[in-house]
Amino acid sequence: MPARGAGLLVLAGTPIGDPADAPPRLAVELAHADVVAAEDTRRLRRLTQTLGVRPSGRVVSYHEVNESARTPQLVEALTAGDRVLLVTDAGMPSVSDPGYRLVAAAVERGIRVTAVPGPSAVLTALALSGLPVDRFCFEGFPPRKQGELLARLRENAAERRTLVYFESRHRLAATLAAMAEVFGAGRRAAVCRELTKTYEEVKRGGLGELAAWAADGEVRGEITIVVEGAPAPRPEDLGPEELAALVRTREEAGERRKEAIAAVAAETGVPKRVVFDAVVAAKKAAGPA
């Protein structure tokens, strides 16, 4: 183990199903940490028993309810030189789990943060989905209220990258139905449940088909939804307003206009001169700034 000195925050990935997936370093960190902050101390106890390890340091709870109050206490321990290990129920801390506040507070105080890489439901589902994985974005849990859900999905509708969501079994049917409505019933997707567990299942198909499947009966377990990104726009479908909007989005992100025009032309297959003319026309239509 590294020598004691300045405090160190260690984020440790834990199994998402099969305990045998625990990285070897996890047992070492559990045995040597000064403080182990766990989302659920009872689950931690079961995990340590399975791994055959006993934490030598203090074990405290760190979950959604006490995260704000507990963070300053853990930062104080880190400042005093302690090695603090953060584990959540499954997967990596901070990824739809407690951890972000503590990491941000540690970074602000100049405390070193490292990680014990481990299983991830996001990456596992992506790999099993059969959908493109070269570019993707993680959207976490979608909103529960129908209006907010539809609004979020409309924001995602034009996203070209593969989309990954977490969802509860109780909300799955409604969420898939909303996705079919907004993204289109034919958009390819995969529903991954109970990953790495005994009853692991990956159901693939169009969103309409998957929505009907989920509505037919209760789907149990922890669920990750992977959705194909929006298809690339065809040049013939893009008018001057759409082309100008694409350039404007890139400019707002910091690109120079010339570079933005070239990038939009390459992305859409529309000649650069046509994109340039669309930008000029939009500027004239907008009038003086």
Side-chain angles (χ1 to χ4, degrees):
M1 298 293 296
R4 284 288 304 275
L8 177 66
L9 174 60
V10 183
L11 311 177
T14 55
I16 60 176
D18 190 339
D21 292 335
R25 272 184 60 205
L26 176 58
V28 176
E29 291 291 348
L30 284 166
H32 291 85
D34 299 299
V35 182
V36 179
E39 185 176 7
D40 187 327
T41 56
R42 292 168 299 180
R43 285 201 181 194
L44 174 66
R45 191 177 304 115
R46 290 196 292 270
L47 178 61
T48 55
Q49 289 171 350
T50 300
L51 297 178
V53 63
R54 176 177 294 182
S56 60
R58 181 165 52 100
V59 175
V60 300
S61 63
Y62 188 76
H63 47 70
E64 184 179 359
V65 176
N66 72 358
E67 189 175 3
S68 295
R70 185 76 77 189
T71 294
Q73 299 170 10
L74 293 176
V75 170
E76 184 178 343
L78 287 162
T79 304
D82 282 350
R83 188 182 191 92
V84 175
L85 177 68
L86 177 60
V87 295
T88 52
D89 290 348
M92 283 298 296
S94 294
V95 182
S96 280
D97 276 331
Y100 166 75
R101 286 187 179 89
L102 180 56
V103 173
V107 169
E108 185 178 354
R109 296 290 291 271
I111 297 165
R112 192 161 73 91
V113 182
T114 188
V116 177
S120 164
V122 175
L123 297 180
T124 303
L126 274 165
L128 296 178
S129 70
L131 297 172
V133 297
D134 54 331
R135 298 177 67 225
F136 67 90
C137 58
F138 174 56
E139 287 290 321
F141 283 92
R144 294 186 177 188
K145 293 183 179 179
Q146 186 69 5
E148 294 175 5
L149 170 63
L150 291 172
R152 173 72 61 80
L153 295 178
R154 290 187 187 109
E155 289 178 5
N156 298 158
E159 175 58 63
R160 301 272 296 281
R161 295 170 293 180
T162 298
L163 296 150
V164 184
Y165 302 85
F166 286 161
E167 189 53 286
S168 73
R169 61 189 181 91
H170 303 293
R171 288 284 311 154
L172 178 63
T175 296
L176 287 172
M179 287 178 172
E181 176 186 338
V182 175
F183 297 159
R187 180 88 72 92
R188 292 188 301 162
V191 176
C192 307
R193 72 177 192 91
E194 295 292 86
L195 291 170
T196 77
K197 299 177 183 176
T198 303
Y199 299 103
E200 176 181 282
E201 179 183 21
V202 180
K203 184 74 174 178
R204 305 175 183 87
L207 282 168
E209 175 189 350
L210 292 173
W213 163 74
D216 268 350
E218 186 177 6
V219 180
R220 298 181 179 275
E222 297 179 344
I223 295 162
T224 305
I225 305 171
V226 185
V227 183
E228 181 180 33
R234 297 180 303 173
E236 58 267 30
D237 294 334
L238 293 170
E241 291 181 1
E242 289 82 5
L243 292 170
L246 290 172
V247 173
R248 185 165 57 251
T249 298
R250 286 180 169 274
E251 284 188 285
E252 290 171 353
E255 286 189 22
R256 296 172 57 189
R257 178 166 296 178
K258 183 177 180 180
E259 295 167 347
I261 289 172
V264 169
E267 181 181 285
T268 61
V270 174
K272 277 197 290 187
R273 184 68 200 181
V274 175
V275 179
F276 175 81
D277 290 343
V279 172
V280 171
K283 186 176 181 181
K284 287 181 178 178

